[in-house]
Amino acid sequence: MQTLQQKASEWSGVPTAQAFSIDDTNLFNKLGLQTFINLSTNFYTRVYDDDEEWFRSIFANSNKQEAIQNQYEFFVQRMGGPPLFSQRRGHPALIGRHRPFPVTHQAAERWLHHMQQALDTSPDIDDDSKIRMMNFFRHTAYFLVAGDELKNQNQQIPCKHAAGKDNS
Amino acid sequence: MQTLQQKASEWSGVPTAQAFSIDDTNLFNKLGLQTFINLSTNFYTRVYDDDEEWFRSIFANSNKQEAIQNQYEFFVQRMGGPPLFSQRRGHPALIGRHRPFPVTHQAAERWLHHMQQALDTSPDIDDDSKIRMMNFFRHTAYFLVAGDELKNQNQQIPCKHAAGKDNS
């Protein structure tokens, strides 16, 4: 059976070592807090204005300002900065926290499309950092698609059980 | 609705700030890699030898050496050391990776019992670090109990749907 990590690498086309090349340097020290705030603001402005209703609707029950803060605090924490996310919300628990959302291949690609646009319009991020970050995002997006599939597997177990009960 | 973090704090009795006091210092630099390897080896030796069959059986399908490595690599990464876990396995994704296991209150307490014993028999860890680590473990254990309850919530959705279909 393929692991989450193997699926993420295969589907994203990004090998693990490349996905975590964000750890070869301290991107937080290089870029600073405001850059991450700007990036997440830029990203979510695109998401909440998306022409594609199916994608926009995934975020309809989330507060935009909270979504921005959750994201940049996680990025800061994961890319060498202070653990802002955990101090406020605990472990990132990426798969667990994405459980309410349909993280499909199509949704991953749309997320990545907006993030690529956000990076392309971030003059305060150098090209090397953009490449490292995009590899990390690409791999992580498909890691969450793999996590989402686990959810569907688990859901079938109690249904069979319940159906058996109904028929007895 | 209570967040994962709020449940973890309430059930564990450890406030968030105290749970993440591991971040006030660099425990990896202080303790070194071998200390973490020793701790996880000590811990899992107790777990795999547990008199309580119900708890031991949770780990029956996992390889002991792999369990030890997964744990110390996560601890090292989370407590200020190199990202050993992510380089090999991707995001910690604590809730997602605990999905196959029944992380009940009772199981959390048994896990914590063994970890307390392991810490108590680790002369290479100073008392201050032991307290920080135990608060982190206690909070994290109940964070995962909260994550486990999400799993049960989700499982009910398709059953009702399936039952509706059967009766139509």
Side-chain angles (χ1 to χ4, degrees), chain B:
Chain B
M1 206 183 66
Q2 276 190 310
T3 62
L4 290 167
Q5 180 74 339
Q6 286 164 341
K7 286 184 186 169
S9 290
E10 188 183 314
W11 295 342
S12 67
V14 181
T16 310
Q18 215 169 308
F20 291 97
S21 81
I22 54 161
D23 292 322
D24 297 345
T25 180
N26 189 315
L27 288 172
F28 175 76
N29 287 346
K30 194 174 184 180
L31 301 173
L33 176 62
Q34 192 59 49
T35 299
F36 286 97
I37 296 175
N38 294 346
L39 177 64
S40 294
T41 304
N42 186 333
F43 170 77
Y44 273 112
T45 299
R46 293 167 190 280
V47 166
Y48 277 82
D49 287 345
D50 195 352
D51 291 336
E52 303 271 356
E53 199 274 335
W54 67 269
F55 187 73
R56 205 177 61 237
S57 71
I58 297 172
F59 302 86
N61 292 323
S62 304
N63 175 282
K64 185 179 168 187
Q65 282 309 316
E66 278 176 31
I68 291 169
Q69 187 180 6
N70 289 342
Q71 188 186 77
Y72 77 70
E73 287 189 350
F74 170 67
F75 289 172
V76 164
Q77 172 165 333
R78 189 58 192 78
M79 298 189 196
L84 299 180
F85 187 92
S86 289
Q87 284 167 359
R88 196 167 58 86
R89 303 194 70 212
H91 293 282
L94 288 184
I95 292 175
R97 292 188 196 271
H98 283 81
R99 175 188 288 270
F101 308 109
V103 188
T104 60
H105 287 245
Q106 193 191 15
E109 283 301 329
R110 194 74 192 157
W111 192 103
L112 290 165
H113 164 77
H114 289 304
M115 187 50 87
Q116 184 67 66
Q117 301 263 307
L119 284 170
D120 287 348
T121 53
S122 293
D124 43 353
I125 306 180
D126 61 286
D127 285 349
D128 177 70
S129 300
K130 282 180 186 171
I131 291 166
R132 289 174 196 272
M133 288 167 83
M134 202 60 204
N135 280 328
F136 172 77
F137 294 143
R138 188 154 196 88
H139 188 272
T140 301
Y142 280 97
F143 181 84
L144 292 177
V145 175
D148 197 72
E149 293 199 344
L150 286 179
K151 182 171 76 182
N152 298 330
Q153 280 168 19
N154 268 33
Q155 283 182 336
Q156 288 169 15
I157 299 164
C159 296
K160 285 177 188 168
H161 185 63
K165 268 192 185 168
D166 286 342
N167 297 337
S168 68

Side-chain angles (χ1 to χ4, degrees), chain A residues 4-5 14 22 30 39 45 53-55 73 76 80 86 94 96 107 114 128 133 137 139 145-146 161 167-168:
Chain A
L4 290 166
Q5 180 74 338
V14 181
I22 55 162
K30 193 173 185 179
L39 176 65
T45 299
E53 200 275 335
W54 68 269
F55 186 72
E73 287 189 351
V76 164
S86 290
L94 288 183
H114 290 303
D128 177 70
M133 289 166 83
F137 294 143
H139 188 271
V145 174
H161 184 64
N167 297 337
S168 67

Side-chain angles (χ1 to χ4, degrees), chain A residues 56-105:
Chain A
R56 205 176 62 238
S57 71
I58 297 173
F59 303 85
N61 292 322
S62 305
N63 176 282
K64 184 179 168 186
Q65 282 310 314
E66 279 176 31
I68 291 169
Q69 188 180 5
N70 290 341
Q71 188 185 77
Y72 78 70
E73 287 189 351
F74 169 67
F75 289 173
V76 164
Q77 172 165 333
R78 189 59 192 79
M79 298 189 197
L84 300 180
F85 187 91
S86 290
Q87 284 167 359
R88 197 167 57 87
R89 304 194 70 211
H91 294 281
L94 288 183
I95 292 175
R97 294 189 195 271
H98 283 81
R99 174 187 288 272
F101 308 108
V103 188
T104 60
H105 287 244

Side-chain angles (χ1 to χ4, degrees), chain A residues 10 21 50 60 64 69 95 110 114 129 147 166:
Chain A
E10 186 182 317
S21 81
D50 194 351
K64 184 179 168 186
Q69 188 180 5
I95 292 175
R110 194 74 192 157
H114 290 303
S129 300
D166 285 341

